[in-house]
């Protein structure tokens, strides 16, 4: 993989956001760059804006001003339907909670990105087929694919659901994976194992990883670690 010529997986510039018009900025980031294939740890205490930032990158939230560029494509220059399609194809997201469609079987949950993006479907096809690839990822992330495949997502423990969410984020090889405290329900050993599996799968598919957590102890498992409070100049108060 050539990281020299590839555009950055993510580039933010002069990004500002607040939840209401009258509220001061919650996010004010002059610049943040994640290179293609790079695995970044972003630390910040509770309430510092980690989930808000991932919401801005994933398109759940609209910035007040500034640019979000994903794999060389500036989001603000696209019409919203094209923007959604672009994100569906190139972003894999592991949320903090409410990751899965609870009534849908695990297998369907993992294959969901292939329904929303032809590109993801094609990539999964090239990797041996959607089902085979979904099963492989579930196994790689430490689940018994056969056992969980047909179960409703809501039947699984939170830790298992986080693994399913990771498999879903990875299917179809998106170029950027966003992970919002995905190990909060795991004990220390399973947490470290999960992170190394996630990193291995990102390396295998060439995806960059932006992993956010309040737990600074995880930092040395990544290529680079950043402190949100040093790059975010908005003065947000802690909520804990
Ligand atoms: P973190 O993920 O680091 O814990 P958040 O991004 O959830 O932090 O929150 C950052 C700040 O934005 C906090 O002050 C929080 O209270 C506020 N905030 C989060 N979500 C909302 C919302 N939906 N409406 C208004 N304020 C919010
Ligand atoms: Mg959060």
């Amino acid at each position: 993989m050539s990281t020299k010529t590839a555009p950055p997986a993510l580039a933010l510039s002069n990004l500002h956001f607040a939840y209401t018009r009258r509220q001061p900025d919650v996010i004010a980031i002059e610049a943040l760059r994640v290179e293609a294939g790079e695995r970044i740890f972003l630390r910040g205490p509770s309430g510092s804006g980690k989930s808000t930032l991932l919401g801005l990158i994933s398109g759940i939230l609209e910035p007040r001003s500034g640019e979000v560029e994903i794999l060389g494509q500036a989001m603000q220059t696209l019409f919203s339907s094209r923007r959604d399609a672009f994100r569906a194809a190139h972003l894999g997201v592991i949320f903090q909670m409410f990751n899965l469609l609870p009534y849908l079987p695990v297998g369907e949950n993992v294959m969901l990105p292939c329904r929303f993006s032809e590109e993801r479907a094609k990539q999964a096809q090239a990797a041996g087929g959607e089902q085979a690839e979904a099963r492989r990822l579930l196994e790689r992330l430490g689940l018994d694919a056969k056992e969980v495949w047909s179960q409703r997502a809501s039947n699984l423990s939170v830790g298992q659901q986080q693994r399913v969410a990771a498999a879903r984020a990875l299917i179809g090889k998106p170029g950027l994976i966003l992970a919002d405290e995905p190990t909060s329900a795991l004990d220390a050993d399973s947490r470290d194992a999960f992170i190394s599996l996630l990193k291995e799968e990102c390396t295998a598919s060439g995806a960059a990883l932006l992993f956010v957590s309040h737990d600074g102890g995880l930092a040395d498992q990544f290529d680079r670690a950043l402190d949100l409070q040093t790059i975010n100049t908005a003065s947000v108060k802690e909520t804990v």
Side-chain angles (χ1 to χ4, degrees):
M1 182 187 51
S2 129
T3 49
K4 281 279 183 294
T5 51
L10 176 70
L12 306 180
S13 52
N14 298 315
L15 193 67
H16 292 264
F17 173 80
Y19 281 97
T20 62
R21 201 182 284 273
R22 293 171 59 190
Q23 189 191 32
D25 284 347
V26 172
I27 294 291
I29 295 178
E30 200 179 293
L32 172 65
R33 202 179 147 105
V34 178
E35 300 301 335
E38 194 180 22
R39 289 132 358 147
I40 298 243
F41 180 75
L42 184 61
R43 196 199 74 85
S46 178
S48 62
K50 302 182 296 298
S51 296
T52 303
L53 176 60
L54 295 193
L56 288 165
I57 299 168
S58 63
I60 294 164
L61 302 170
E62 284 280 337
R64 180 178 262 180
S65 60
E67 275 293 341
V68 174
E69 200 180 294
I70 298 169
L71 300 161
Q73 173 67 58
M75 291 299 103
Q76 278 64 36
T77 63
L78 296 178
F79 286 114
S80 67
S81 59
R82 289 276 318 276
R83 201 188 299 169
D84 291 347
F86 185 89
R87 284 185 162 114
H90 300 291
L91 267 189
V93 183
I94 312 168
F95 290 113
Q96 204 163 5
M97 46 182 106
F98 310 121
N99 263 301
L100 307 173
L101 299 183
Y103 297 106
L104 216 57
V106 165
E108 295 296 327
N109 263 289
V110 176
M111 295 186 295
L112 213 53
C114 304
R115 304 281 94 78
F116 291 119
S117 163
E118 215 172 295
E119 245 174 289
R120 301 274 292 266
K122 273 189 199 149
Q123 288 286 348
Q125 215 51 50
E130 288 176 22
Q131 291 214 12
E133 181 62 356
R135 286 175 198 277
R136 185 190 71 79
L137 285 165
L138 287 169
E139 293 279 345
R140 284 293 292 142
L141 290 158
L143 291 167
D144 182 339
K146 209 177 251 169
E147 193 191 306
V148 299
W149 185 262
S150 304
Q151 287 194 43
R152 281 182 175 191
S154 55
N155 284 358
L156 272 51
S157 72
V158 177
Q160 286 176 314
Q161 291 188 36
Q162 287 178 329
R163 292 166 193 275
V164 175
R168 187 179 62 180
L170 287 159
I171 199 165
K173 295 190 167 55
L176 176 61
I177 305 288
L178 306 176
D180 194 350
E181 314 222 29
T183 55
S184 53
L186 304 178
D187 59 61
D189 285 349
S190 357
R191 187 194 63 201
D192 292 348
F194 175 87
I195 291 174
S196 65
L197 292 172
L198 183 61
K199 283 193 309 182
E200 278 173 33
E201 276 309 311
C202 286
T203 304
S205 71
L209 173 64
L210 180 59
F211 187 110
V212 309
S213 173
H214 67 276
D215 185 356
L218 306 177
D220 56 8
Q221 303 186 53
F222 293 82
D223 299 335
R224 186 155 65 97
L226 293 168
D227 218 314
L228 180 56
Q229 285 172 308
T230 60
I231 59 168
N232 183 19
T233 56
S235 51
V236 289
K237 46 183 190 317
E238 298 198 14
T239 46
V240 187

